[in-house]
């Protein structure tokens, strides 16, 4: 199952924890859409990226933090 995952700066650490926890599970393929640092950023940017991947069928599920 392909899962898109995205977070703003406040969810960055939790996103990394989830990615680290699931990266060796062959059942899931994670698509990390960012953010890639704890630097301040806006949540809607990453929510839109996750939603677009789901809408276009490139991901079956999404996680937003």
């Amino acid at each position: 199952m392909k899962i898109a995952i995205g977070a703003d700066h406040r969810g960055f650490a939790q996103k990394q924890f989830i990615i680290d926890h699931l990266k060796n599970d062959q059942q899931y393929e994670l698509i990390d859409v960012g953010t890639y640092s704890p630097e301040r950023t806006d949540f809607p940017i990453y929510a839109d990226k996750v939603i677009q991947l789901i809408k276009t069928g490139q991901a079956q599920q999404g996680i937003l933090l």
Side-chain angles (χ1 to χ4, degrees):
M1 175 188 303
K2 290 185 181 181
I3 302 172
I5 185 167
D8 66 1
H9 60 286
R10 297 187 117 199
F12 173 73
Q14 291 86 357
K15 178 179 71 88
Q16 292 308 117
F17 176 82
I18 292 169
I19 289 171
D20 290 342
H21 184 72
L22 295 178
K23 70 181 175 187
N24 294 323
D25 190 331
Q26 301 298 318
Q27 185 176 350
Y28 305 109
E29 179 183 338
L30 296 175
I31 305 168
D32 185 357
V33 300
T35 188
Y36 303 111
S37 75
E39 202 170 300
R40 185 164 169 58
T41 188
D42 293 324
F43 182 81
I45 296 168
Y46 307 101
D48 184 57
K49 290 180 179 186
V50 169
I51 290 166
Q52 290 305 316
L53 288 173
I54 294 169
K55 282 176 61 176
T56 60
Q58 296 176 63
Q60 288 75 44
Q61 298 289 323
I63 298 173
L64 292 169
L65 302 155

